[in-house]
Amino acid sequence: MLLQHGDRLSFGVRWLEVRSTPGHTNGCLSFVLDDQSMAFSGDALLVRGCGRCDFQQGNPHTLWASITQQLFSLPDSCLLYPGHDYEGRTVSSVVEEKAFNARLGGMATERDFVGHMESMKLPHPHRIAEALPGNMRSGKPVDQDVTSPAANPCWAPLQRSYAGLPELHPAWVASHRDGLTLLDVRSAGEFGGPDGRVAGSLLIPLPELEARISELPANQPVVVVCHSGSRSALATQQLLKAGLSQVANLHGGLARWADEGYPLQGVAST
């Protein structure tokens, strides 16, 4: 059945509204129950994630618009059922994804989302012989230690994000600032722009991080920052996989840092 945005699929006295949600592919559709109590988001919006945008017609700007305009516009209580999940999760809700989605929830902007998606460097899905058995294990590797090197828990009061990454709150980071390397992974334009930066932080834009890890001081723990904590979460994951043990993401990013009253250099006056 060829479907278009705005069509209705009837079953008995109920019906589903068809919503076009491209960005992962051009043909991605989501389906919303007539009373907007639940929606089926396919490959567009997943539980704490979203569809990849780096092949088969993908576009992160388009996916941002699809999710924010077509799915996040639904009532907060609306249950969301994704097309698939790698951790065995079957349902979320609009309010949960607005708050906790690692790529576009919280205070993330379109700029954060696009920067995150463009820097993921996902392998092309051609290793189907390994992928299918992995899916049968809900994406969990045979060796649980290979994908998430454990950070040394002794150097700081680390907390774990929903995705399992180590995080630190602004208050602790501010009070231990002299003993830390604050790694800012935004673009150079953002670093020098009106949003400001933490004094003394080191700028290495996320797309350059893999090639410039050697520039990080070897004798200090690293706290990674960006605007909302989205891109810095991806950078934290990259650093852990590269073998760094004393690394953590700044919870909530520079937006939370500023909200809690900690200073930023270069902030535009209002």
Side-chain angles (χ1 to χ4, degrees), residues 89-199:
R89 300 166 296 199
T90 58
V91 62
S92 183
S93 67
V94 170
V95 69
E96 286 182 68
E97 296 309 313
K98 283 181 177 179
F100 302 122
N101 191 289
R103 300 177 186 176
L104 69 166
M107 301 182 70
T109 64
E110 181 177 357
R111 181 181 64 196
D112 294 320
F113 176 72
V114 172
H116 184 121
M117 299 304 292
E118 289 181 344
S119 301
M120 291 183 71
K121 300 180 181 178
L122 296 172
H124 204 274
H126 63 282
R127 298 173 64 182
I128 196 69
E130 287 115 337
L132 282 179
N135 286 343
M136 296 299 292
R137 300 190 302 270
S138 297
K140 296 178 182 178
V142 175
D143 182 353
Q144 293 291 332
D145 294 329
V146 299
T147 59
S148 181
N152 182 349
C154 301
W155 69 274
L158 300 174
Q159 297 184 356
R160 294 283 170 175
S161 69
Y162 187 88
L165 294 176
E167 292 186 331
L168 288 168
H169 285 269
W172 189 91
V173 174
S175 63
H176 294 78
R177 176 68 188 88
D178 292 342
L180 304 170
T181 295
L182 262 63
L183 171 63
D184 195 315
V185 295
R186 297 175 297 164
S187 68
E190 293 174 271
F191 187 78
D195 290 342
R197 59 195 176 276
V198 178

Side-chain angles (χ1 to χ4, degrees), residues 1-38:
M1 182 183 296
L2 184 62
L3 299 173
Q4 295 182 348
H5 182 80
D7 287 348
R8 289 187 178 185
L9 290 172
S10 297
F11 55 101
V13 298
R14 307 297 298 272
W15 49 270
L16 292 170
E17 176 193 358
V18 178
R19 294 197 178 190
S20 177
T21 49
H24 173 62
T25 67
N26 287 345
C28 281
L29 298 175
S30 296
F31 303 90
V32 181
L33 192 59
D34 47 28
D35 61 0
Q36 297 192 344
S37 63
M38 61 180 65

